[in-house]
């Protein structure tokens, strides 16, 4: 809020500034969606004495923060990856970045085998598991690389699709990780930028203040590096919203803020007023997070609903977003927009890559055979995971298989020509999935992919939460997903019945 061009802090922001000047120790700032946390962080920087490190979640945010903060003595704004990379370059001066480092190591291992034993088909799962191991700082502290249980926990918790052979993938991942560590002084990949200085105990520059933004989405490696960046007696500020923690299956720990608070004995400072969302949207969001508040100056906004039989092609326009808990419904809606002549894309190129990998798994070239294999695969894999109470993995398999069924039905109906059906399927996937989809199309996105973004008008497909979420952390994250979906709307939220 501003008066005569001067920003007037809210009472909660003022309390944060007072803590910086007159308080002591570290703090966890728990900020609801759209609460102006970035403004509070930037405005608090000049009040901090000594060397300050601002850890932004990604490069785009780091650039934005640096521009808004301006030149300040002792201030260093960076992603955690850039900070780790800087530390490692001082230890390994000739190191090069190779984003395909682990892929190259995997393929070298595969070529060294005396016969073609089919491990090439496990490349994606192996590389995914290695990435999670690095994000979880495996080999640092008490987590041993040789401990099979740790690897299996990574598979189970982060939903790695091993195509039914966990033991093989664990063995391959361990070999790739060890060789990756051995090669760190020559080359590193993106994960290594944080992992290498940790696993090799490299020296880092220490700071009087360390700020960690989006702290609810940090993994163990990011948290360990943040603590190493903090000098003894320094003060740490971790900012985030535990109710926006929705990446517990991708490497982030669902209780990250609590883990940070425990590590540094931090006090809690709340930011509960949303400046982004209108009153009607905030009122609806309170179903999921009771303490979020609308700012007194917020417009009324609008929340309405439509039935599932209503064509969204008559309601949504380019610049709007369609959000869903699952990916499969988005594909059907994307086709409805395309058929109506409205440009539309589904967010997430890597989702498409995973669909193509599954489609190519059996090396078939006809849709009837593919669908038959897909049905058997879905039944086997979901039964196996549910027997182990690994519900998130079972749901992931079901959603993937349903995505392929929707795509196959579309192609078979509109392009029933001869040829390699699976290749046509893969081409179709490439045509509708994309990354960082802009405002010139209707964006269709999973709620996970919508995190950190906002739109004037959001349509939320009421598919409901995962019916298989049973563990406490799974149920909590299902609630968080609802909250994230609702708070993406800046003006208008439409609930779409399914």
């Amino acid at each position: 809020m501003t008066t005569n061009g001067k920003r007037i802090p809210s009472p909660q922001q003022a309390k944060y500034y007072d803590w910086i000047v007159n308080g002591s120790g570290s703090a966890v700032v728990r900020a609801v969606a759209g609460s102006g946390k970035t403004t509070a962080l930037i405005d608090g920087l000049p009040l901090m004495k000594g060397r300050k490190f601002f850890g932004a979640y990604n490069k785009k945010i780091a650039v934005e923060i640096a521009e808004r903060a301006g030149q300040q003595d002792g201030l260093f704004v960076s992603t955690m990856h850039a900070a780790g990379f800087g530390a490692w370059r001082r230890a390994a001066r000739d190191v090069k970045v190779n984003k395909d480092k682990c892929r190259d190591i995997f393929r070298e291992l595969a070529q060294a085998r005396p016969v073609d034993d089919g491990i090439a088909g496990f490349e994606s799962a192996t590389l995914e598991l290695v990435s999670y191991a690095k994000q979880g700082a495996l080999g640092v502290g008490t987590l041993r690389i040789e401990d099979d249980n740790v690897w299996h926990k990574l598979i189970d918790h982060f939903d790695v699709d091993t195509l039914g052979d966990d033991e093989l993938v664990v063995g391959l991942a361990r070999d790739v990780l060890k060789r990756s560590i051995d090669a760190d002084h020559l080359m590193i990949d993106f994960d290594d930028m944080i992992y290498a200085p940790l696993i090799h105990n490299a020296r880092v520059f220490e700071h009087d203040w360390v700020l960690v933004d989006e702290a609810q989405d940090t993994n163990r490696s990011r948290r360990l590096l943040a603590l190493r960046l903090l000098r003894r007696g320094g003060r740490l500020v971790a900012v985030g919203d535990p109710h926006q923690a929705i990446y517990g299956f991708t490497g982030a720990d669902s209780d990250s803020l609590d883990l940070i608070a425990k590590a540094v004995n931090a006090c809690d400072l709340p930011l509960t007023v949303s400046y982004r969302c209108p009153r009607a949207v905030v009122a609806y969001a309170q179903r999921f997070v009771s303490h979020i508040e609308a700012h007194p100056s917020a417009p009324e906004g609008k929340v309405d609903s439509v039935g599932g039989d209503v064509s969204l092609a008559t309601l949504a326009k380019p610049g709007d977003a369609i959000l869903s808990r699952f990916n499969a419904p988005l594909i059907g809606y994307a086709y409805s927009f395309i058929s109506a002549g409205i440009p539309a894309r589904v967010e997430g190129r890597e989702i498409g890559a995973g669909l193509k990998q599954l489609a190519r798994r059996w090396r078939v070239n006809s849709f009837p055979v593919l669908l038959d294999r897909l049905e058997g695969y879905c039944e086997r894999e979901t039964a196996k995971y549910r027997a182990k109470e690994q519900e998130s993995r079972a749901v992931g398999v079901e959603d993937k298989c349903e995505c392929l069924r929707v795509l196959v039905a579309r192609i078979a109906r509109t392009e029933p020509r001869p040829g390699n059906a699976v290749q046509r399927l893969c081409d179709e996937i490439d045509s509708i999935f994309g990354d960082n989809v802009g405002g010139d199309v209707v964006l269709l996105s999973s709620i996970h992919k919508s995190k950190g973004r906002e739109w004037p008008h959001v349509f939320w497909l009421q598919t409901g939460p995962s019916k298989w979420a049973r563990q406490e952390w799974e149920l909590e994250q299902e609630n968080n997903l609802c909250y994230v979906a609702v708070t993406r709307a800046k003006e208008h939220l439409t609930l779409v019945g399914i």
Side-chain angles (χ1 to χ4, degrees):
M1 182 176 179
T2 60
T3 300
N4 296 326
K6 183 178 180 180
R7 184 179 293 130
I8 305 299
S10 69
Q12 291 176 333
Q13 290 172 335
K15 185 176 180 179
Y16 168 64
Y17 303 146
D18 180 70
W19 170 82
I20 294 172
V21 176
N22 300 310
S24 62
S26 298
V28 168
V29 179
R30 299 178 189 265
V32 301
S35 61
K37 66 178 178 64
T38 302
T39 296
L41 289 177
I42 292 173
D43 287 355
L45 288 171
L47 304 175
M48 298 175 177
K49 296 180 180 180
R51 185 178 174 93
K52 298 163 283 190
F53 173 81
F54 192 117
Y57 192 72
N58 57 41
K59 185 176 180 180
K60 179 181 178 182
I61 295 174
V63 171
E64 176 189 342
I65 297 297
E67 290 177 348
R68 290 178 60 180
Q71 293 292 326
Q72 296 185 32
D73 289 342
L75 174 61
F76 180 61
V77 181
S78 165
T79 64
M80 298 302 292
H81 283 84
F85 185 32
W88 188 236
R89 288 188 69 176
R90 291 189 292 274
R93 295 184 181 278
D94 296 327
V95 69
K96 305 294 183 184
V97 177
N98 176 8
K99 64 182 180 63
D100 296 321
K101 170 187 173 182
C102 288
R103 185 203 67 181
D104 295 342
I105 291 173
F106 178 91
R107 293 182 179 180
E108 288 174 4
L109 286 171
Q111 291 173 359
R113 296 201 173 210
V115 295
D116 180 6
D117 54 5
I119 72 163
F122 295 90
E123 178 180 303
S124 179
T126 299
L127 300 185
E128 185 180 3
L129 185 55
V130 170
S131 180
Y132 289 137
K134 292 181 179 183
Q135 293 176 50
L138 187 56
V140 180
T142 59
L143 298 183
R144 297 186 303 108
I145 294 174
E146 298 299 336
D147 188 345
D148 282 358
N149 290 329
V150 175
W151 288 100
H152 286 289
K153 286 179 180 178
L154 286 173
I155 290 174
D156 294 344
H157 190 73
F158 299 137
D159 200 19
V160 179
D161 185 0
T162 63
L163 303 179
D165 201 333
D166 289 9
E167 296 296 335
L168 174 61
V169 173
V170 166
L172 292 169
R174 181 186 290 111
D175 287 346
V176 171
L177 180 61
K178 287 181 175 180
R179 294 191 182 210
S180 174
I181 293 170
D182 290 342
D184 280 343
H185 283 79
L186 299 175
M187 67 181 71
I188 60 172
D189 59 20
F190 186 68
D191 290 326
D192 290 329
M193 291 179 182
I194 294 178
Y195 183 63
L198 295 175
I199 194 71
H200 297 288
N201 198 27
R203 185 173 178 269
V204 301
F205 285 133
E206 296 180 345
H207 301 75
D208 299 284
W209 289 87
V210 170
L211 287 75
V212 182
D213 196 14
E214 299 291 351
Q216 81 279 349
D217 289 328
T218 56
N219 52 45
R220 184 168 180 257
S221 285
R222 288 187 187 225
R223 292 193 300 275
L224 288 176
L225 182 59
L227 292 174
R228 292 194 183 190
L229 290 167
L230 187 66
R231 71 162 179 80
R232 184 181 296 274
R235 302 173 69 181
L236 183 141
V237 179
V239 185
D241 184 355
H243 299 289
Q244 294 187 68
I246 58 175
Y247 287 104
F249 66 98
T250 64
D253 295 301
S254 58
D255 57 349
S256 292
L257 282 172
D258 291 335
L259 291 171
I260 293 172
K262 182 178 179 179
V264 295
N265 192 27
C267 68
D268 266 16
L269 296 172
L271 293 176
T272 60
V273 178
S274 177
Y275 292 84
R276 173 198 300 153
C277 301
R279 293 172 183 269
V281 171
V282 168
Y284 194 85
Q286 288 171 343
R287 300 182 180 205
F288 311 105
V289 175
S290 61
H291 61 265
I292 187 173
E293 307 170 66
H295 191 270
S297 66
E300 182 59 30
K302 185 177 182 180
V303 176
D304 58 11
S305 61
V306 297
D309 56 341
V310 174
S311 172
L312 293 189
T314 64
L315 301 176
K317 61 184 183 301
D320 293 341
I322 317 293
L323 306 184
S324 171
R325 168 64 177 86
F326 305 103
N327 287 298
L330 297 173
I331 298 173
Y333 276 98
Y335 283 131
S336 71
F337 285 107
I338 293 170
S339 297
I342 301 171
R345 296 290 297 276
V346 180
E347 179 73 26
R349 193 176 299 278
E350 82 282 0
I351 297 172
L355 294 176
K356 290 193 295 182
Q357 179 189 7
L358 182 58
R360 290 168 172 159
R361 179 181 180 187
W362 298 282
R363 300 179 181 179
V364 300
N365 59 13
S366 74
F367 286 152
V369 176
L370 174 62
L371 291 175
D372 182 66
R373 300 288 176 86
L374 195 64
E375 186 69 24
Y377 168 80
C378 189
E379 290 180 2
R380 289 191 307 273
E381 294 302 294
T382 54
K384 178 184 70 176
Y385 293 139
R386 284 178 181 135
K388 296 179 180 179
E389 298 186 352
Q390 298 170 5
E391 301 300 344
S392 63
R393 299 186 71 186
V395 170
V397 169
E398 285 183 332
D399 192 32
K400 246 179 159 178
C401 292
E402 184 59 23
C403 284
L404 287 182
R405 294 189 192 104
V406 173
L407 287 160
V408 167
R410 164 74 178 189
I411 298 172
R413 184 172 64 252
T414 60
E415 298 183 68
R417 65 177 188 269
N420 189 318
V422 172
Q423 184 56 53
R424 298 209 321 272
L425 174 60
C426 292
D427 292 343
E428 185 74 6
I429 290 170
D430 286 337
S431 73
I432 66 170
F433 283 89
D435 284 337
N436 300 315
V437 177
D440 57 342
V441 301
V442 173
L443 170 70
L444 299 107
S445 173
S446 69
I447 301 172
H448 286 99
K449 284 290 181 184
S450 75
K451 178 74 188 308
R453 303 181 69 177
E454 57 187 32
W455 298 270
H457 194 174
V458 168
F459 295 81
W460 178 23
L461 305 185
Q462 299 291 282
T463 58
S466 167
K467 62 182 178 181
W468 302 109
R470 296 170 183 172
Q471 298 184 57
E472 184 176 349
W473 75 268
E474 292 175 320
L475 293 169
E476 181 181 345
Q477 295 218 343
E478 290 296 324
N479 187 79
N480 291 353
L481 283 165
C482 298
Y483 170 61
V484 168
V486 169
T487 55
R488 300 311 94 194
K490 296 170 61 180
E491 299 172 8
H492 187 180
L493 172 69
T494 298
L495 313 176
V496 182
I498 297 295

